[in-house]
């Protein structure tokens, strides 16, 4: 009897009145909801932590330069050509269905980012672009439009390597003219926004990317990935 009273003692405050008796039911409802959500939350948090850890590792790796991040125009042009051409090879070889799934998964990841963080990153990016030359930006737009028009004229979805290189050159000129402090601010904001993306959606993007890699061929994916990392280190 004493054991029974001891086990129910914490609930006695809820029995003082008709209103107070409701608190016991409310507490049990909340506890049940938390228990049901625990399994899903643990899965999501595991994936999110893994993603955040990867981004954090990159941030630590490049931490010595992020406070005065500057784009080396010549390096971006050289490494940008390699990355853009390797990426174009992947896109040209990609089955339409697999590519569509990757794009859809990437969009899902993007829209799952914390809205406030995303807006802050976009604003930082726009502020960085405002420090670039208006003439250089116009040349970039013209190069992109010309590459797109040329691809359509030739009945292609992806522009030729020659046209892609022209766009890369124009983009490198723009990046080289951006204020280093503004570029650093954007890099930090983008990294912080990326860490808020939904873990399950990141997992799906990884899965769809893996399927695309198998369809395209490991060689092309490996080349494009290596080129991307090489380009990143050029910043």
């Amino acid at each position: 009897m004493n054991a029974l009273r001891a086990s129910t003692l914490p609930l006695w405050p809820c029995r003082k009145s008709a209103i107070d008796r409701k608190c016991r039911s409310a507490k049990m409802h909340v506890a049940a909801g938390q228990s049901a959500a625990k399994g899903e939350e643990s899965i999501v948090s595991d994936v999110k932590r893994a993603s955040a850890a990867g981004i954090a590792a990159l941030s630590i790796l490049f931490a010595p330069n992020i406070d005065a991040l500057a784009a080396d125009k010549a390096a971006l042009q050289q490494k940008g050509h390699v990355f853009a051409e390797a990426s174009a090879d992947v896109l040209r070889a990609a089955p339409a269905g697999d590519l569509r799934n990757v794009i859809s998964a990437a969009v899902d990841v993007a829209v799952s980012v914390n809205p406030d963080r995303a807006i802050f990153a976009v604003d930082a990016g726009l502020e960085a672009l405002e420090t670039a030359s208006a003439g250089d930006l116009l040349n970039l737009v013209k190069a992109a439009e010309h590459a797109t028009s040329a691809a359509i004229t030739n009945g292609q979805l992806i522009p030729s390597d020659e046209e892609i290189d022209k766009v890369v050159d124009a983009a490198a000129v723009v990046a080289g003219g951006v204020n280093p402090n503004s570029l650093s601010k954007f890099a930090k904001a983008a990294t912080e926004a990326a860490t808020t993306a939904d873990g399950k959606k990141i997992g799906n993007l990884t899965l769809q990317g893996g399927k695309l890699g198998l369809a395209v061929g490991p060689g092309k994916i490996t080349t494009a990935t290596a080129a991307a990392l090489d380009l990143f280190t050029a910043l």
Side-chain angles (χ1 to χ4, degrees):
M1 186 67 177
N2 291 335
L4 177 61
R5 292 183 60 188
S7 66
T8 57
L9 187 59
L11 298 176
W12 286 1
C14 293
R15 297 174 182 172
K16 292 181 179 179
S17 66
I19 295 177
D20 288 337
R21 281 197 295 271
K22 294 181 181 179
C23 75
R24 178 183 181 186
S25 175
K27 289 178 181 178
M28 292 175 66
H29 178 74
V30 171
Q34 291 175 338
S35 177
K38 185 176 180 180
E40 181 179 351
E41 289 178 353
S42 64
I43 295 173
V44 172
S45 63
D46 286 344
V47 179
K48 184 177 287 187
R49 280 198 299 269
S51 174
I55 295 174
L58 288 176
S59 299
I60 293 173
L61 180 62
F62 296 101
N65 297 322
I66 198 168
D67 287 333
L69 192 63
D72 184 329
K73 183 180 72 174
L76 288 181
Q77 288 177 331
Q78 178 187 1
K79 299 178 186 298
H81 288 173
V82 178
F83 167 68
E85 291 172 9
S87 299
D89 284 343
V90 170
L91 295 176
R92 294 186 186 110
D98 291 329
L99 183 58
R100 189 181 304 113
N101 290 339
V102 170
I103 294 174
S104 177
V107 171
D108 286 343
V109 170
V111 299
S112 75
V113 170
N114 180 284
D116 293 334
R117 296 280 190 180
I119 292 173
F120 185 76
V122 170
D123 287 344
L126 293 175
E127 289 177 3
L129 285 178
E130 288 177 354
T131 67
S133 164
D136 292 341
L137 284 171
L138 180 59
N139 289 337
L140 173 58
V141 172
K142 288 181 177 179
E145 289 178 343
H146 186 273
T148 302
S149 298
I152 294 174
T153 299
N154 295 326
Q156 300 173 338
L157 291 176
I158 308 300
S160 66
D161 286 349
E162 181 181 359
E163 292 294 340
I164 290 175
D165 286 345
K166 291 179 181 178
V167 176
V168 170
D169 287 342
V173 171
V174 171
V178 171
N179 179 276
N181 291 329
S182 297
L183 191 58
S184 296
K185 180 180 178 181
F186 167 65
K188 291 179 180 179
T191 299
E192 290 175 358
T195 61
T196 68
D198 184 270
K200 291 172 67 176
K201 296 186 184 301
I202 292 175
N204 183 52
L205 175 59
T206 302
L207 176 63
Q208 298 303 329
K211 291 180 179 178
L212 177 64
L214 291 175
V216 170
K220 293 182 182 295
I221 294 295
T222 299
T223 300
T225 302
L229 291 174
D230 196 30
L231 175 61
F232 186 79
T233 58
L235 291 175

